[in-house]
Amino acid sequence: MRSYLATTHFRALGALISIALIASMLLRLALFVVYSGNFNWEFLAALEALFFGAINDLFSLAYILLIPCVLTLIFSECFYRATAGKIYLYSLIFIFSFLLLFCATLEYLFWGAYYSRFNFIAVDYLLNGFRFDKISLTAIATILTICVILASFFVLGAIKFFMARDSSGALSSGKTRLALFWIHAGIAVLIFLFYSPFISGERRVYQELSRNGIYEFFAASRAKSVDYYTFYPALPKEEAISIIVNEIKSGDDRFLLNGSKEFRKITAPKQTEITPNVVVVIASGLDKKLLNAFAPNINSYTQEGLSFSRVYASGVGVLRTIEAFNLSIPAIAGDSIIKRSAKPLFSIADIFADRGYARQFIYGGYGYYDNLGAFFAREGYEVIDRDAFASENKTFASGGKQSDEDLFAEALMQADRHYIANRRFYQTLLASSINAPYNYPRGRIDIAPKTSREGATRYFDYALGRFIDAARAKPWFEDTVFIILSDGAFVASNDNPRLADYETIAVFYAPKIVAPRAIDTLCSQIDIAPTLFSLFGWGYESRFFGRDILSVTSKEARALVATNTRLAFASSNGDFVILRPAKAADLTNAARRRAVAIYQSAFDLFSGDSLDVQNVKAADF
C-alpha cells in the first residue's frame, strides 16, 4: 500500500481530486457572492449548503475521475519517469482542468438564467444544439482564454504540490493496474445505485447551491423531467382548474363534482352509436409540404374523407404524436411521458376496452425503442414488433426495421384474425420508412432508395395505397375507419417554436361511415381522439384535455404545440404565447392564462397529483 501511495498514478489522482474540489467550491462561492440577492445572506443556510456541497462533490468524483483514472492507469510507472510520460500526464491534467473550468462557466451562465444547477433543460440544450448565436464571439474567446489560463495554473500547482519529487513506488504490473481500475469502477457503481445527493435546507436556491452540477447533469439525462412549478409561471390551482373546466368542455360535457378529487370529464352518448373497427396509421417523418407532389394516395383519401386542414403536432417527434393521440394531453415540460412513465395511464385504449375491442400496437422496429413496447403494453395493447411478425411478412428490413409493406401485411393478417373471431379491433400502426436512411425495396417507385425524404414519402404513400386497396377486398373494410396521422415538426426551434413548423395531417377515411368534409378549425393532435369518439356517438369518461372539434366554434378554437422546454398556445384570434423556463409571465393576458392553466394542470395530472376539483364552484362546471 505504501508503495502505491508513492506512485505517479496516486499522486496524479490526488492532484485531479484537488483540482475538481477547488473548481467546484470556487463555482459555489461565485454563485453565492454574485447572486447574493437570491440567497438573502442567510449565514447558517449558506454554511450548510457549502458543507453538503463539499460532500456531494466528493461522491461525484467517482464519476468525474473515472476516465482520467483509466488514462493514467494505461501506462506503467517507467513510462511516467520519461519525458514523454511527463508531457502526457501534464497534458491530461491540463485537459481535465480545462473541461472542469469550462463546465463551471457553463453552469455559471445557466444559473444566471434559471437559478439552478444543470437539469433536464440543460440536457435538452445539449442534445438539440447550444445556441452560440446568443453569445458574442468576443465573449466566447474570453471564456476560453480564461479557462486556458486557469487550467495552466492548476497544472503548475499540481506539479509543485504533487509531482515535485520523482516517484518511488512500483506500479508496473498490468494486473495491478487493472485491479485498481475495477476498484474505482466498483465504487462508481455502488454510488450510482445507492447515493442520493445531500440537500441543504428548505429553500430551493440553497438546495440547488449544495448540488454538484456535473452529477446533476447526468442524473437529469436519466430522469428526463423538470418540475413545472420551479421553472414556469403558475396560477393558484383552484383558478387553473376553473379555467381548465371551461377550456376543455365540448357540447354537453360535464365533470365529476360532489367533493371528488378525481378529474373526470364525462361525455354524454348521442342517440345513435356505432362501433366500427379503427386502424390508425402514424407516419413518422411525413412532411405535409411533400404531400402534393409525392403522395397521390393520401391526397385522394383527404378528398374522400374527413380531413383537418389546420391541425398541428403537439410536440416534436413521433413520441409526442403517440402521446397526444393516445392520452389526449398537451406536451408536458421535459421528455415525453412515453419515456418517463412506469405506470398505466388513462388512454383511448381504456375506452376501446370498455366496448370489448382487441387493441394492438404494430411496429416494424423493435418494441424496446424509445420505450414504445413497454408503454403500449402497460396501456393494455397487444404489442407486435418485428420479432413477432409472421415469417412471410419479413421480406425487407433496413436499420433494424421492417418495411412499411411488411408492416401493413402484418396488420392485414391480424385484422383478419380478429374478424374471424368476431371481435372488433383497434390497431395503431407505426410506419417508419420515411426516416433516414430512406431505404425501401427497389422497383416499387420511380425514385431510388436511400436518396431522399421525397423518395421515402412516395414509397410510404405507395405502401399505404396497397394496404387500403387490399383492405377493400376484406369483409371488414366497410365497417372500418382508417386514420392517417403524421408527427411533423421537422424544423421546430427549441427557443422560439413557430406554429407553422408544427403543421401536420389528420385524415379519417371510411367511405361508408364518414362523409367527405374538410375541417378548417384550429386544433392540435390532442383533439383527434375526442373528435373520433364524437363521430361514433360514444359516451365515456376520460381525462382528455382535447375537445371534439366538430362542436367547437371558430372563436373557441386553439392549438397547443411545444418543445421539451417551450410550451406554446395559439388561439383563433391570432394570439400565440410561449411559456419559457424561469421567465416571468404577464398573467393578466387572457391567452397566457389559458396556456398556463392547461400546461400546469396537465403537469399536475400526470406527475402523480390528481386534479382536485372539490373546491371549484358548481357554476364552473
Side-chain angles (χ1 to χ4, degrees), residues 455-478:
T457 299
R458 178 164 290 178
Y459 168 71
F460 167 75
D461 184 74
Y462 161 84
L464 179 66
R466 288 195 60 188
F467 172 54
I468 298 295
D469 288 344
R472 291 184 202 279
K474 302 292 184 179
W476 45 262
F477 174 77
E478 292 188 353

Side-chain angles (χ1 to χ4, degrees), residues 249-253 270 534 547-553 556:
K249 186 176 181 180
S250 295
D252 295 327
D253 289 348
K270 296 182 180 179
S534 174
R547 303 181 295 185
D548 168 21
I549 293 303
L550 303 179
S551 66
V552 173
T553 66
E556 300 169 326

Side-chain angles (χ1 to χ4, degrees), residues 35 73 166 180 220 308 389 451 453 459 488 495 507 548 577 607:
Y35 297 101
L73 284 170
D166 290 333
L180 288 172
F308 300 82
F389 278 23
T451 56
R453 185 180 296 276
Y459 168 71
D495 284 331
V507 178
D548 168 21
V577 298
S607 64

Side-chain angles (χ1 to χ4, degrees), residues 263-495:
F263 176 74
R264 283 286 189 274
K265 181 170 70 172
I266 304 173
T267 300
K270 296 182 180 179
Q271 290 184 347
T272 303
E273 289 192 17
I274 59 174
T275 55
N277 305 304
V278 178
V279 178
V280 180
V281 180
I282 299 177
S284 175
L286 179 59
D287 188 344
K288 185 178 181 179
K289 295 189 288 293
L290 300 179
L291 294 188
N292 288 336
F294 299 98
N297 289 315
I298 295 177
N299 291 332
S300 175
Y301 305 143
T302 300
Q303 295 297 321
E304 299 170 11
L306 178 65
S307 62
F308 300 82
S309 58
R310 297 184 66 198
V311 61
Y312 296 90
S314 296
V316 179
V318 72
L319 292 186
R320 290 298 193 186
T321 292
I322 293 173
E323 173 187 274
F325 176 71
N326 276 272
L327 304 178
S328 188
I329 60 165
I332 296 174
D335 216 336
S336 169
I337 287 178
I338 292 175
K339 285 187 176 182
R340 291 156 49 181
S341 177
K343 61 181 181 180
L345 303 170
F346 184 88
S347 71
I348 61 174
D350 294 289
I351 298 172
F352 281 112
D354 288 342
R355 286 169 170 77
Y357 278 66
R359 293 143 290 150
Q360 291 179 312
F361 170 63
I362 307 176
Y363 176 42
Y366 293 108
Y368 59 75
Y369 174 75
D370 272 341
N371 205 41
L372 284 169
F375 169 78
F376 279 102
R378 283 194 299 269
E379 297 306 307
Y381 291 76
E382 178 188 5
V383 176
I384 302 175
D385 66 3
R386 65 174 297 190
D387 281 339
F389 278 23
S391 57
E392 60 266 35
N393 297 330
K394 294 181 178 181
T395 65
F396 181 89
S398 176
K401 299 173 184 176
Q402 297 298 138
S403 69
D404 289 344
E405 289 175 85
D406 288 341
L407 170 73
F408 293 137
E410 184 68 27
L412 285 171
M413 180 180 292
Q414 295 295 331
D416 287 343
R417 178 168 67 88
H418 295 307
Y419 177 77
I420 293 171
N422 196 30
R423 189 177 185 189
R424 298 290 183 181
F425 58 86
Y426 155 55
Q427 295 178 333
T428 292
L429 317 180
L430 178 55
S432 53
S433 291
I434 300 178
N435 294 308
Y438 313 126
N439 197 15
Y440 42 86
R442 292 185 177 275
R444 303 299 198 267
I445 60 172
D446 58 358
I447 302 176
K450 295 186 178 181
T451 56
S452 65
R453 185 180 296 276
E454 288 80 2
T457 299
R458 178 164 290 178
Y459 168 71
F460 167 75
D461 184 74
Y462 161 84
L464 179 66
R466 288 195 60 188
F467 172 54
I468 298 295
D469 288 344
R472 291 184 202 279
K474 302 292 184 179
W476 45 262
F477 174 77
E478 292 188 353
D479 197 22
T480 301
V481 175
F482 296 86
I483 301 175
I484 305 168
L485 306 176
S486 169
D487 50 354
F490 299 106
V491 293
S493 165
N494 279 285
D495 284 331

Side-chain angles (χ1 to χ4, degrees), residues 52-70:
F52 284 117
I55 296 176
N56 289 330
D57 292 342
L58 280 171
F59 276 98
S60 301
L61 289 176
Y63 302 104
I64 296 171
L65 294 181
L66 190 57
I67 293 178
C69 177
V70 172

